[in-house]
Amino acid sequence: MNKHELEKRLRELGLYSSYFQRKELKPLAQMLKEGEQLNCILTGVYGGNRSMMAVTDRRVLIIFAGVLGTGEFKVVKREAVRRHWFNKKLLFSEAGFATENEEFVFANTQGSMKKFFDWAMEQPLPEAVNGPSER
């Protein structure tokens, strides 16, 4: 996906004005695969760094874009997510999800992102990723 397509999707979600200047958008656009649909992004403190979480129909991407152009990212397949949560507070909301072996927690995130995050994490996985269901 290119940055223009990503910006278009952010406008569709009504999130463009909140995130258009984030330096994580460039690596995010490069990481999204053709046909993958972005459903939510939010920022918060993860691993001691201000980072971005992007939830797509197939994966959860965690991106830290460093000051000197260095960056780190983690990719978790959506089918590996066992549970998710969003603790909305006046200040210092928290979003997170867990796989069988690991928990991912974003502290100090935007409380207004609760509905997007919950909606994105509850979307069914595309059949192409999971394969046809067995009967």
Side-chain angles (χ1 to χ4, degrees), residues 26-94:
K26 184 177 180 181
L28 175 60
Q30 295 169 349
M31 294 172 67
L32 292 174
K33 297 178 180 178
E34 193 64 38
E36 188 171 19
Q37 180 172 305
L38 178 69
N39 290 329
C40 175
I41 61 173
L42 56 85
T43 59
V45 177
Y46 172 77
N49 296 306
R50 192 86 180 150
S51 301
M52 177 181 280
M53 179 192 318
V55 181
T56 75
D57 58 339
R58 301 174 189 176
R59 304 178 294 165
V60 180
L61 309 163
I62 299 172
I63 304 166
F64 167 68
V67 177
L68 300 174
T70 62
E72 300 174 20
F73 63 91
K74 251 185 196 202
V75 178
V76 178
K77 292 181 179 179
R78 283 268 320 283
E79 62 259 21
V81 175
R82 298 292 177 243
R83 63 185 176 87
H84 70 278
W85 64 91
F86 196 110
N87 298 323
K88 185 176 179 178
K89 299 178 184 174
L90 183 60
L91 298 172
F92 309 118
S93 295
E94 176 186 278

